[in-house]
Amino acid sequence: MSETNGITANGVSEQTHTPSQRYLSTRGEDSGLSFEEVVLKGLATDGGLYIPEEIPQAADWQSWKDLSFVDLAFNILSLYISPAEIPPADLKDIIQRSYATFRSEQVTPLIHLKDNIHLLELFHGPTFAFKDVALQFLGNLFEYFLVRRNAGKTGRDRYHLTVVGATSGDTGSAAIYGLRGKKDVSVFMLHPKGRVSPIQELQMTTVLDANVHNLAVAGNFDNCQDIVKALFADPEINATHRLGAVNSINWARILAQTVYYFHSYFALARSPAAPSGFKLGDKVRFSVPSGNFGDILAGYFAYRMGLPVDKLIVATNENDILDRFFKTGRYEKNTSSNSADPVKETLSPAMDILVSSNFERLLWFLAYEFAATAGLDDAWNKKQAGQEVSVWLRDLKTKGGFGPVHDDILSAGRRTFESERVSDEETLATIRDLYRQVGYVLDPHTAVGVEAARRSATRTPEGVPIISLSTAHPAKFAGAVNLALKDEEGFDFEAKVLPPEFVGLDKKEKRVQDVANDWKAVRDVVRAGVEEELKAAEASS
Ligand SMILES: *Cc1c(COP(=O)(O)O)cnc(C)c1O
């Protein structure tokens, strides 16, 4: 199965370059896929998530210390994407175009927040949230693969991708900005009508490109997700349309996010605010506001590639399934709530989840390491890991949870991860504290991460700095920010927080279609929308 040699017991390839990186499913029934296949398919046929067969080692990572974001991204992504699949010059061009849309020259700048805590600002992309880092790249990748598949093809012979997604806010706008105007791709983004923040809604609906379809569903976010799931499971639409996914289970999103872990580490090493004597090779902690576990999983890959990570801090809000796992070894849906909706609405809505979809990928690696302690061959270890994950995920579905997992699996997880749960009240207090102490305005998601970092700092060995990931611009979550800061002397949201790009957004032309909470009605809308685009393409060719 594996085409690489020199695999150590923990599955790390000793080669610095993997000439033909292949992918397998976490549930063990799908393997040998190319990067292009996993990007276009999203979810594996056995219901699992794709992971690389080997995690490549970034053997000469220290020599990357002065590279620009784009050059660094190129080196890292080249370890996962073979030149036979995407020629190096093309990959470089895709990366360059993806990050040219960012407002900061450093793409993801690192600033010193306070004491030993540094803030990695990931919100300088088109929609002011960290999801742009991955979705700008994914949009260009889709386009690249489609252009190549469609060379010499015309009209209905062309491979047309129909992206269907549900959003409670950030994913939708970032996906729309990643895909707007791209040839051979249509995007249908479902949001619960009137239930996303006004800025988020405007960011989506003011995009007027013909291939972007905003659907306002008469229902809640769960209804939107159910409609999307029904469409992906529907044989009829799958017979006529190639459906694509852009949610965080797409491997390319995780991969793109590994870059800023390296980039921020180097920025810290250069920073005058780094602990005195800090040098390349010294460890850092990362604190990551987490929902679906995609962002922090990228940190895990960076660590496995060789970045000196002391701990990855999983920061959750009151939807705390991840925090409970790392404390107890049990992964269980929240049943403590009396309300009909087990997902609690919090001030950090992009982290309001019941289960974390990407956690399955970490579970696979933990199960694989555990299997490897038995010392059999690598193929057997991988098979064991796939079976273990399948059973866990089945129990999650049928019994609402699983665990406690084996002690050795939990301790392996705890060697790399620690976790914190931050309530809404603590989130507001953190926004207020940092504003008073250093005059910086945190968005509520970022505040969850910063509070977790502050707690972790009391436990870090002397001198280990913490990089806390800032996942959104505070203006996107005006409600929470105002709630925290309205009584602060001299605080003025419009002067202090609001970026010029948001001013006048509400006066712009909008494009959005109301739809019923009915998947078949949505299916009709999707068919009609794609048909209209295909006709327009035919007419213009
Ligand atoms: C999506 C999102 C998160 C959570 O990231 P995951 O990869 O789902 O863990 C945190 N903060 C913001 C602002 C987000 O949009």
Side-chain angles (χ1 to χ4, degrees), residues 130-131 170 289-295 350-351 445 471-472:
F130 96 96
K131 291 188 172 68
D170 278 355
S290 294
N292 269 324
F293 206 73
D295 199 359
M351 289 150 53
H445 305 80
T471 51

Side-chain angles (χ1 to χ4, degrees), residues 273-337:
S276 71
F278 185 86
K279 57 185 184 313
L280 289 189
D282 289 353
K283 289 184 171 178
V284 303
R285 293 188 172 191
F286 288 95
S287 180
V288 189
S290 294
N292 269 324
F293 206 73
D295 199 359
I296 197 165
L297 185 75
Y300 177 74
F301 274 88
Y303 159 68
R304 292 289 305 269
M305 290 169 74
L307 191 69
V309 173
D310 178 57
K311 280 277 193 275
L312 296 166
I313 307 158
V314 183
T316 77
N317 64 23
E318 290 166 53
N319 295 291
D320 59 355
I321 185 168
L322 291 166
D323 180 54
R324 286 183 283 117
F325 174 81
F326 285 104
K327 301 245 150 84
T328 67
R330 283 193 294 274
Y331 193 72
E332 290 169 327
K333 292 180 187 172
N334 189 5
T335 48
S336 64
S337 154

Side-chain angles (χ1 to χ4, degrees), residues 24 220 227 233 330 386:
L24 56 83
N220 59 23
I227 293 172
R330 283 193 294 274

Side-chain angles (χ1 to χ4, degrees), residues 320-390:
D320 59 355
I321 185 168
L322 291 166
D323 180 54
R324 286 183 283 117
F325 174 81
F326 285 104
K327 301 245 150 84
T328 67
R330 283 193 294 274
Y331 193 72
E332 290 169 327
K333 292 180 187 172
N334 189 5
T335 48
S336 64
S337 154
N338 304 320
S339 76
D341 186 354
V343 179
K344 186 169 189 290
E345 256 184 64
T346 72
L347 295 173
S348 41
M351 289 150 53
D352 289 348
I353 46 89
L354 190 58
V355 298
S356 299
S357 45
N358 275 295
F359 194 58
E360 179 168 347
R361 285 182 161 120
L362 177 67
L363 287 171
W364 188 92
F365 283 100
L366 295 178
Y368 174 65
E369 259 177 55
F370 182 60
T373 56
L376 295 174
D377 68 63
D378 189 59
W380 186 86
N381 300 341
K382 286 189 165 124
K383 191 158 169 255
Q384 281 298 110
Q387 281 173 358
E388 186 84 275
V389 170
S390 301

